[in-house]
Amino acid sequence: MNSHTTLAKFIHWTFTLLYAYGIFKQVDDLTELEDASLLNFEIMFATIFLIIVLIRYFYMKDTPTLLGAHEDVPKGHLFIAKTVHRLVYFSLIMLPTTGLLIAGLFNLGMGGVEIAIALHEFSAFLSYVVIALHVGATLYSRIKGEGLWNAMVPVWKESGKNNSNLLSKLEAIEEKIYKKVEDKFI
Ligand code: HEM
Ligand code: HEM
């Protein structure tokens, strides 16, 4: 059965912790940056975060999406999954980049910090939305027992496809959505 590499799993799960830490330790407002050691720490954290995201992106970019799926995945489904993964990467690149922009403008005492903060807040918001979608979709797939959970998640392993009336109805709706996406985008 196809599985992501040990390194891919290691990066996925350590990065999840790094992201959670970044979100919890967030700066509350601009005046906190007057503390030089905090400002330096933020700059270092954002730089390391950005480097890890980029390394991860290049390491993963040629790995097939939904790698562990037992059955052939419709093109429309793959398109949606890839789009969400790309949006996750986009938000994870924007977060440290706009953070560094805030730091740069703040250090130079230049105007425009408000715009950088607005972009930073938007990046945080986008990351919440797309990561919630990602986790929600993964849990849904886990309930269906499609196989891709086992390829990335080391716990609560699936044992095979689950069938129920409700799942068949949901699958019929999914098929329609994938067809629409295929007609429009592929
Ligand atoms: C905590 C709950 C999470 C679960 C259960 C989960 C599960 C998964 C699974 C099963 C895959 C493989 C999908 C495939 O084969 O295409 C995957 C991939 C991925 N996950 Fe998560 N994930 C979680 C959290 C996160 C978080 C917090 C992030 C971002 C910070 C994230 C970012 C990604 C990305 C970008 C991929 C695509 C593969 C890659 O480039 O590494 N995930 N995840
Ligand atoms: C990867 C690195 C970073 C992460 C994950 C991160 C995350 C966050 C989050 C989640 C927020 C709250 C946004 C909201 O209200 O929705 C925030 C706010 C803020 N961040 Fe960051 N940040 C990072 C780097 C930086 C850096 C390098 C700076 C500047 C030195 C910075 C300065 C700020 C400021 C000033 C705010 C407060 C904005 C306000 O006034 O509401 N951040 N950050």
Side-chain angles (χ1 to χ4, degrees):
M1 201 171 300
N2 283 330
S3 186
H4 285 287
T5 62
T6 308
L7 182 58
K9 288 183 201 169
F10 177 78
I11 300 176
H12 182 274
W13 294 110
T14 48
F15 191 82
T16 296
L17 295 178
L18 190 68
Y19 170 75
Y21 174 74
I23 295 302
F24 283 119
K25 68 117 195 68
Q26 63 184 253
V27 178
D28 288 327
D29 66 72
L30 199 57
T31 55
E32 286 187 16
L33 300 183
E34 281 156 19
D35 174 353
S37 64
L38 180 91
L39 181 62
N40 283 336
F41 174 79
E42 284 295 318
I43 293 173
M44 207 179 66
F45 179 79
T47 308
I48 294 170
F49 187 97
L50 184 61
I51 291 171
I52 297 178
V53 176
L54 292 174
I55 292 175
R56 174 178 178 181
Y57 175 76
F58 287 107
Y59 177 68
M60 294 303 292
K61 98 181 170 18
D62 298 321
T63 305
T65 306
L66 310 184
L67 178 75
H70 302 310
E71 290 171 15
D72 274 351
V73 184
K75 286 206 173 68
H77 191 174
L78 278 180
F79 178 84
I80 296 171
K82 275 188 190 161
T83 305
V84 173
H85 288 168
R86 282 184 188 138
L87 286 172
V88 170
Y89 276 113
F90 176 72
S91 69
L92 296 177
I93 289 171
M94 285 292 287
L95 254 179
T97 309
T98 52
L100 291 171
L101 188 65
I102 298 172
L105 294 173
F106 181 81
N107 255 340
L108 296 170
M110 281 168 64
V113 180
E114 294 75 21
I115 298 170
I117 290 179
L119 287 172
H120 193 58
E121 289 185 335
F122 173 74
S123 314
F125 170 74
L126 183 67
S127 78
Y128 301 148
V129 172
V130 291
I131 291 173
L133 260 175
H134 169 64
V135 177
T138 308
L139 283 171
Y140 174 56
S141 169
R142 167 66 184 78
I143 291 166
K144 289 176 40 175
E146 292 173 313
L148 48 113
W149 176 277
N150 288 359
M152 185 59 97
V153 194
V155 293
W156 191 34
K157 291 282 187 187
E158 303 176 352
S159 52
K161 193 156 167 43
N162 290 321
N163 292 305
S164 76
N165 273 343
L166 176 65
L167 288 180
S168 317
K169 277 185 194 141
L170 290 172
E171 267 179 2
I173 299 173
E174 272 184 61
E175 292 302 325
K176 281 188 193 145
I177 296 173
Y178 301 146
K179 278 260 147 5
K180 282 215 168 102
V181 169
E182 282 162 22
D183 291 345
K184 268 215 149 73
F185 299 103
I186 301 168

